[in-house]
Amino acid sequence: MVVQVIIGLVFLYLTYRGIRRVSHHISSVVQERTDGDLFQYLKGNYLDCSKAKVLFNWQEPAEVGSTVSFKVKFYYCNMVPYSIRKEDNVMTQISVGTSQNVPFVEEYVTDGDDVDCLQVSFTVRVSATYYISLQRNGVHLAGSPFKKIFQPGPLSPAHTRLVRCGHVATTSLTVTQGQSHVIKIDARDEYNNDCSPNLHKKHFDEAFKFRLYRTMHPDLAVAYVWEIANNKGNKRLEFELTVFENGYFKALLDYRGQPLKHGSFSVISLTDNEAAEVKTNMSKRNLYYECRLLRRESPQDMKTANTCTDVQHDGSNQSWKSGKDNTDGPKSRKTSSISKNHKKVYCYITPRQLIIKEYLMLLIPIRIASFRVSPSTEICLEANNEEVMTINDGTQPQIMLSCPRRNVLLATFHSILYGNAGCSNSFEEKVENFYKELLAHHQITNADIRNRPKIALKISRTDLLNTTMQSTRSFSSADWRKYFQITFKGEEGIDWGGLNKEWNFLLCQELFSCPTDECELFQRFKSDPQALTLPSPTSQSGMKLKHFDLAGKLVGKCLFESALGGQHKRQVSARFARSFLAQLIGMPVSYAHFESDDPSLYTSKILYTLKSDDVEELEMTFTEEVYQKHSNVPKVHDLMYNGSKTLVTNSNKKRYLNLMAQFRLCTSIKPEIDAFVKGLTSIVPDHLLSVFDENELELVMCGSSEISADDMKKHCTTSYEDPYFTKTLEWFWAVTASFTPDELARLVQFTTGCSQLPPDGFKALEPPLKITSCLWHHGQLPTAHTCFNELVLPMYDSCEHLSRMLKIAITEGVSGFGRA
């Protein structure tokens, strides 16, 4: 009996609790939906998101290019229309794929039932799947999120291009006689969406037109076949061409009468033997062709010589050289023969440069010109002479050559060009190959790296440059490749890598930071600390050429040690001028280099001269004023023979600017650059450096100059025991996110011993960046172990406290053994 009573009481209690819970739930729902009015709730007079209807004003599948909209109508639970208001907090989100948000406009409009509804409008430019999310108070409306697919528009010739090797525009095509060659067509609509999958065979047969013709005799038929088809595997358009004659031709591919982007191009048809030669050339290191130098002239003379005529087709952004006859140029050359009286030269082709050399007494090489292997370098073929070609990059004197193997040379040039940019290695792969080749040049094996010999250097912090010079003055190239075990005079400590990195950084800072009272080796054109640096003339700086030789060897040593990998990697802490880097790899300088090296001169004089309609009014001559140190009286230097008597005109102003650049950036500091290159190439052969352009060379030597706090956080590891340290970490990342670039560089320098990062940023840092906790030094300054790229953070009471102590550490604690 007692048990039954107890069970009954428990049942009553549970029933009571259940009724209370249900009552509380109903009360909260009524309160939320009808402000506590139970009667209205029972009548269904409250907004019910599950009853909402979304009306889209477009028919699927829709094309991109227009502004579309949709309306959202809301209803009470009893299906009576509900006038939506801004206060109802309806949240709209439109995204492309899973990440990119699309901007839209929301309006509250009245429909035919005199009820306000929500209208959302947005413009479609990207062909993709759009996701439209509609929520109220965190609850999706019926059917939300909606999935809508927008297809690309019709093909646009102005945005559709021929490509080769993945992404390189085809401006010159090399084919083998009698063999088919396939080029991809990157079909795009007006908004740059890929429209290849939407094209059908009728577009190929009716819309595309192709013509292949001879430059001198356009009406003379050429034997060829062509076809455009849709690749069934990747659904991409492909243009297939077979030429049954060998020689040099012009081609034009258009769509509905409009040339495609890069649809005007040259075709070089090679014989089987010539094609085999080009393929073999790609693997050769010392590749050259014997030529005859016919003429060297300034870019302005092109207008009079008219070696190649630019032909611009309507609707195309790509111009090409037609090689049409001119009464004074090609016609006269047609009747003249190429004799042995013309100077014999050699045209060398490397992965980065096309170099014209002559040999004095058949032994001494003299460089005549260097051209970058890039799309900016044009090789124009003479249509009525199968040997003549003109090389021009628009900034230096163009070269006219005669070469019996002209077509093979040009085919090799373009194969290397496309290889560099398209099917060749990425920058990371090129760096990896550079390191591999450098180690192979010095016959360094993995065993040699593990058992690397050491040389002890005792350096004074107060006289860093001179003590380093004295310690290394008798070193051979082999000695410079050894590990320098650094000891700073008056300091105790064992160099496990941190002191070596610090010495490397401090020496770079003294050599390349400019100017200081002790060293004026490098100069800037302006006082901005972020300005780029280049060598100072020794006559003005008081330095000697041996200092530049040391600087070159230091850079070479950094490159060599980076090739060793792991924690041997070293970066050059410098911001070199682009003109200086170009000369390190044998490239010429031009007035275009002033844009980065001396922006103030570029904007004030270079651009003004280029844009001036009448330069003669300025009364400039081919001279340059040079101010000596501690003298206000300039010395006038002629940029050319009788330069002081030669006026700058509209026809020769580019030549004047190039000669000025040559003098300022090259000739005036040539001994210093030669000494630097001598030191550099004693460790790193110049042919290995030539695979890079100047921007890539800076990344290899100096690493990344942009430091990202997000990248640092992404690739940083942490180690701590106290869970309260997570709050310190949160504060640390909040503080670093607000750091200026200079403060970030100081933080990286404080932690790793150098303010420069490897080319891949923190991802490539060896050892990886690490933050550890220090529980027994609460509130004190952070410390670092630069040998291991480790930052040690004590715990702090507030974010402000951490920020203050961290800034003190990175600004006042960046020198000394205490960090190593």
Side-chain angles (χ1 to χ4, degrees), residues 484-499:
F484 287 0
Q485 197 165 36
I486 303 298
T487 301
F488 286 110
K489 294 179 180 180
E491 298 183 16
E492 297 181 359
I494 300 176
D495 184 11
W496 292 100
L499 293 179

Side-chain angles (χ1 to χ4, degrees), residues 72-305:
V72 186
K73 293 186 175 182
F74 292 86
Y75 296 88
Y76 288 100
C77 183
N78 56 14
M79 292 306 296
V80 175
Y82 176 87
S83 288
I84 193 69
R85 298 163 297 176
K86 189 175 182 180
E87 293 77 14
D88 288 315
N89 295 323
V90 177
M91 302 298 296
T92 305
Q93 184 181 33
I94 305 175
S95 60
V96 177
T98 58
S99 57
Q100 181 182 355
N101 289 330
V102 178
F104 58 87
V105 176
E106 285 186 336
E107 298 177 279
Y108 295 91
V109 298
T110 303
D111 65 357
D113 299 329
D114 293 332
V115 176
D116 290 341
C117 61
L118 176 63
Q119 178 172 289
V120 180
S121 304
F122 62 98
T123 302
V124 181
R125 292 290 184 266
V126 179
S127 170
T129 300
Y130 286 65
Y131 293 91
I132 302 173
S133 174
L134 298 166
Q135 298 182 59
R136 180 177 181 269
N137 296 332
V139 179
H140 280 280
L141 273 62
S144 175
F146 300 92
K147 181 179 177 182
K148 298 295 179 182
I149 299 176
F150 287 88
Q151 296 183 342
L155 184 145
S156 169
H159 297 83
T160 298
R161 61 174 185 162
L162 297 179
V163 296
R164 182 179 179 183
C165 303
H167 63 274
V168 181
T170 300
T171 55
S172 183
L173 177 65
T174 302
V175 300
T176 303
Q177 178 183 349
Q179 297 183 16
S180 64
H181 192 93
V182 176
I183 313 175
K184 296 178 182 177
I185 299 179
D186 186 17
R188 298 282 169 170
D189 66 6
E190 182 182 355
Y191 306 101
N192 210 34
N193 296 295
D194 182 9
C195 60
S196 298
N198 291 1
L199 297 176
H200 305 289
K201 195 174 187 307
K202 65 178 182 178
H203 296 93
F204 314 150
D205 296 337
E206 300 174 3
F208 282 102
K209 301 296 180 184
F210 177 73
R211 183 186 174 211
L212 186 70
Y213 58 96
R214 308 173 195 273
T215 53
M216 286 302 298
H217 305 284
D219 297 328
L220 187 62
V222 181
Y224 69 94
V225 294
W226 68 282
E227 182 183 13
I228 293 181
N230 205 326
N231 188 300
K232 295 181 180 179
N234 56 24
K235 295 184 179 180
R236 291 292 184 269
L237 290 188
E238 291 181 343
F239 169 62
E240 183 176 352
L241 174 65
T242 305
V243 183
F244 299 100
E245 302 178 32
N246 71 302
Y248 175 65
F249 309 98
K250 286 295 182 181
L252 177 62
L253 178 65
D254 63 39
Y255 181 82
R256 301 192 186 280
Q258 294 294 323
L260 302 185
K261 190 176 182 181
H262 309 302
S264 302
F265 56 95
S266 304
V267 176
I268 305 170
S269 180
L270 306 176
T271 64
D272 291 337
N273 291 336
E274 290 174 334
E277 181 181 347
V278 171
K279 186 176 181 180
T280 303
N281 289 344
M282 296 299 291
S283 59
K284 288 184 178 180
R285 286 190 176 183
N286 194 25
L287 176 62
Y288 66 91
Y289 289 89
E290 182 178 315
C291 305
R292 294 284 177 176
L293 180 62
L294 303 184
R295 188 167 62 201
R296 188 182 187 190
E297 57 192 15
S298 66
Q300 293 73 30
D301 295 334
M302 290 178 63
K303 296 179 181 179
T304 57

Side-chain angles (χ1 to χ4, degrees), residues 17-50:
R17 290 290 303 272
I19 293 173
R20 283 198 60 184
R21 183 171 297 177
V22 172
S23 175
H24 178 73
H25 174 70
I26 294 175
S27 176
S28 62
V29 171
V30 172
Q31 181 66 36
E32 177 187 354
R33 298 188 175 181
T34 60
D35 293 331
D37 192 332
L38 181 60
F39 180 71
Q40 294 295 332
Y41 178 77
L42 294 175
K43 288 179 60 179
N45 286 339
Y46 61 86
L47 178 60
D48 188 349
C49 291
S50 64

